[in-house]
Amino acid sequence: MTKKFGAKKAELSELSRIRDRVTFLYLEHAKLNRQDSAILVTDNRGTVFVPVAIVSVLLLGPGVDVSHRAMELIGDAGMGVVWVGEQGVRQYAHGRPLNHSSRLLEAQARLVSNTRTRVAVARKMYQMRFTGEDVSDLSMQELRGKEGSRVRQVYRNESQKTNVPWSRRAYNPDNFDAGTPINKALTAAHQALYGLSYSVICALGASAGLGFVHTGHDLSFVYDFADLYKAEISIPLAFRVTAKYGDDKDIGTKTRLAMRDAFKDGKLLVRMVTDLKSILGVTETNISAGVINLWDDKLGLQKFGVQYHEFEEDDG
């Protein structure tokens, strides 16, 4: 008989809801293993235990080694995992969704596959940024122009508030350190916001790749979703951190820590969960049940786990 190590796999109902979890944890140059229901993180400073059921997403930077057993636990617990490049500029993958229902995914696929409904969802997302204004008759081109003007104004306003010089948004994905302090802070802040957005989308069972405004990338919907919060969260914070630390070589790390503190009270997570359901038109309060059915084009949903015969018996 094979001996099983560690704690028993948690049931879905036992896991913390996504909105109740710590938002994210960034790790680099460390080894990750498993001990019972915790991730054992070891680096040159020592060892810490990370309970998987209370963390929303792990951002794994360069130099991270992860064991198979650690990934098994992470997947079972529904913790999002985002592999990121140097200073968090790139991101790659995630674990299994916390939510085993396909309700949100089916709604998203239906909405994005029809031009009329796709435009309607895109307008809804833009409307969330333009409170008090009616954008229902604007074309996608007009919406992009309006959003571009709004974001440029946000940059100018934050520059004036913090006295941080601003010219334009520019960064090199392959060389984080080549950017100006404010651009490095913006990159780090946006990356943290992308990680949190990615975690919420995946944990609730939606698709990171089926975007309504962005398209053609496996993170298109992440960019759609994160754009709802940049002007309120990541942009002002990046300017404040730059004003405080200037050209500090660790400004990326300081920005990530500031973003973590900004996420700490969990209010943004609660809001993200509500916003995601609203965007996709799903009003159910409980969509976590992993119920499996068989699809039939004429009979509708049929029971799963039933032995169906090839032909019905003749009653005669």
Side-chain angles (χ1 to χ4, degrees):
M1 180 177 178
T2 303
K3 184 178 180 181
K4 294 185 177 181
F5 296 91
K8 176 181 74 71
K9 175 182 175 181
E11 299 297 329
L12 182 64
S13 59
E14 297 174 327
L15 297 174
S16 303
R17 290 182 299 176
I18 182 66
R19 68 183 186 182
D20 295 331
R21 296 185 176 202
V22 177
T23 51
F24 75 91
L25 177 64
Y26 176 82
L27 300 171
E28 62 179 26
H29 302 292
K31 293 184 181 297
L32 277 62
N33 212 320
R34 172 180 180 173
Q35 183 164 324
D36 295 327
S37 293
I39 298 298
L40 187 66
V41 182
T42 304
D43 66 8
N44 57 9
R45 295 169 295 179
T47 299
V48 295
F49 294 90
V50 179
V52 294
I54 66 167
V55 177
S56 175
V57 60
L58 280 178
L59 300 177
L60 303 182
V64 171
D65 292 331
V66 188
S67 72
H68 182 277
R69 295 195 67 243
M71 287 307 304
E72 177 188 30
L73 177 61
I74 288 168
D76 287 343
M79 179 194 290
V81 180
V82 183
W83 278 268
V84 296
E86 185 179 6
Q87 301 293 341
V89 172
R90 300 181 185 274
Q91 64 187 71
Y92 306 105
H94 65 88
R96 187 180 183 186
L98 176 64
N99 176 17
H100 296 170
S101 168
S102 63
R103 179 74 178 86
L104 278 170
L105 179 59
E106 290 174 6
Q108 182 182 10
R110 183 177 63 254
L111 292 167
V112 81
S113 300
N114 178 279
T115 300
R116 180 182 57 80
T117 57
R118 182 172 183 169
V119 170
V121 172
R123 284 184 179 138
K124 181 187 290 188
M125 297 181 77
Y126 279 116
Q127 185 66 73
M128 293 169 69
R129 286 169 269 185
F130 294 101
T131 55
E133 299 183 45
D134 183 8
V135 302
S136 59
D137 292 328
L138 298 183
S139 67
M140 292 299 294
Q141 182 179 5
E142 290 170 329
L143 288 167
R144 286 194 301 271
K146 191 175 182 65
E147 172 66 357
S149 297
R150 182 185 79 101
V151 172
R152 284 193 295 273
Q153 187 60 51
V154 170
Y155 284 135
R156 287 193 293 267
N157 290 345
E158 294 303 324
S159 176
Q160 292 173 0
K161 288 179 184 178
T162 59
N163 292 319
V164 172
W166 174 254
S167 57
R168 63 189 179 91
R169 180 74 175 111
Y171 71 99
N172 183 349
D174 298 316
N175 188 353
F176 177 82
D177 291 325
T180 62
I182 180 56
N183 272 294
K184 288 194 285 188
L186 284 166
T187 297
H190 291 337
Q191 185 64 50
L193 186 59
Y194 292 148
L196 183 61
S197 300
Y198 195 15
S199 175
V200 171
I201 290 167
C202 294
L204 293 181
S207 169
L210 295 181
F212 294 88
V213 178
H214 296 83
T215 190
H217 193 279
D218 63 335
L219 300 177
S220 293
F221 191 50
V222 174
Y223 300 139
D224 282 1
F225 196 54
D227 278 352
L228 299 176
Y229 312 102
K230 283 182 178 178
E232 179 184 349
I233 306 294
S234 56
I235 295 176
L237 184 141
F239 274 91
R240 291 197 299 270
V241 170
T242 305
K244 183 174 182 180
Y245 295 105
D247 58 357
D248 191 306
K249 66 178 182 178
D250 292 327
I251 195 166
T253 300
K254 287 179 166 56
T255 303
R256 280 193 297 272
L257 292 174
M259 287 293 286
R260 184 190 64 188
D261 292 342
F263 296 158
K264 187 167 58 177
D265 63 8
K267 291 180 181 179
L268 181 59
L269 266 177
V270 175
R271 182 171 151 199
M272 281 181 159
V273 171
T274 301
D275 287 347
L276 184 59
K277 292 180 182 179
S278 174
I279 288 166
L280 299 180
V282 176
T283 57
E284 291 93 332
T285 56
N286 181 14
I287 57 171
S288 62
V291 178
I292 304 177
N293 292 297
L294 302 177
W295 180 83
D296 189 289
D297 61 333
K298 295 185 175 68
L299 302 177
L301 298 181
Q302 301 295 296
K303 289 184 178 180
F304 170 77
V306 175
Q307 182 64 51
Y308 292 95
H309 297 284
E310 184 176 0
F311 301 104
E312 293 183 1
E313 297 182 1
D314 188 345
D315 292 336

